[in-house]
Amino acid sequence: MTSSGPSPCRVIRCTNPSGGRLTLNEDDPDVPIMEIAVCNEHLTQINAGADWFYDGADHMIHMGRDVAPRITDFQIREGIDPLSTLIVHSVSDGAPRIDEYRLSRPQLDQLAALIRGEQEWWNITKDDEGDSPASESPEP
Ligand SMILES: [Zn+2]
């Protein structure tokens, strides 16, 4: 099958011909800028703030129900049974949703350690230059 004319829109499941180009990585100087063909309809939605995700594995853009829900808040509710409940508030395709997951104490500890580790990582990059010999930040 050969294709002629404009390349198709790279939004997953869209069959429209491309009408514009979406530019990726404009804000990241460490990554080359990339342009992806999208149809006018999807370009308008993206420019209006619609949620989207670029999947580098298949070089496709995911939008709408194909984008994983975005977590907006979460809580842990400990009950009297051995399992705790993780309550996750998220937005999926523009609609708020709440999901509950039950997890064991070891799973809860693992999740907490993961979150704490991430916080430590941020502290290290801010407060500790580590073994980097080319530190340019003067000590206060
Ligand atoms: Zn499209």
Side-chain angles (χ1 to χ4, degrees), residues 14-49:
C14 182
T15 56
N16 295 337
S18 66
R21 299 207 150 258
L22 176 64
T23 305
L24 303 182
N25 306 328
E26 279 181 303
D27 301 329
D28 189 346
D30 297 331
V31 182
I33 287 179
M34 188 165 58
E35 289 190 329
I36 297 177
V38 291
C39 68
N40 287 324
E41 184 183 336
H42 280 124
L43 191 60
T44 300
Q45 289 175 9
I46 289 169
N47 287 336

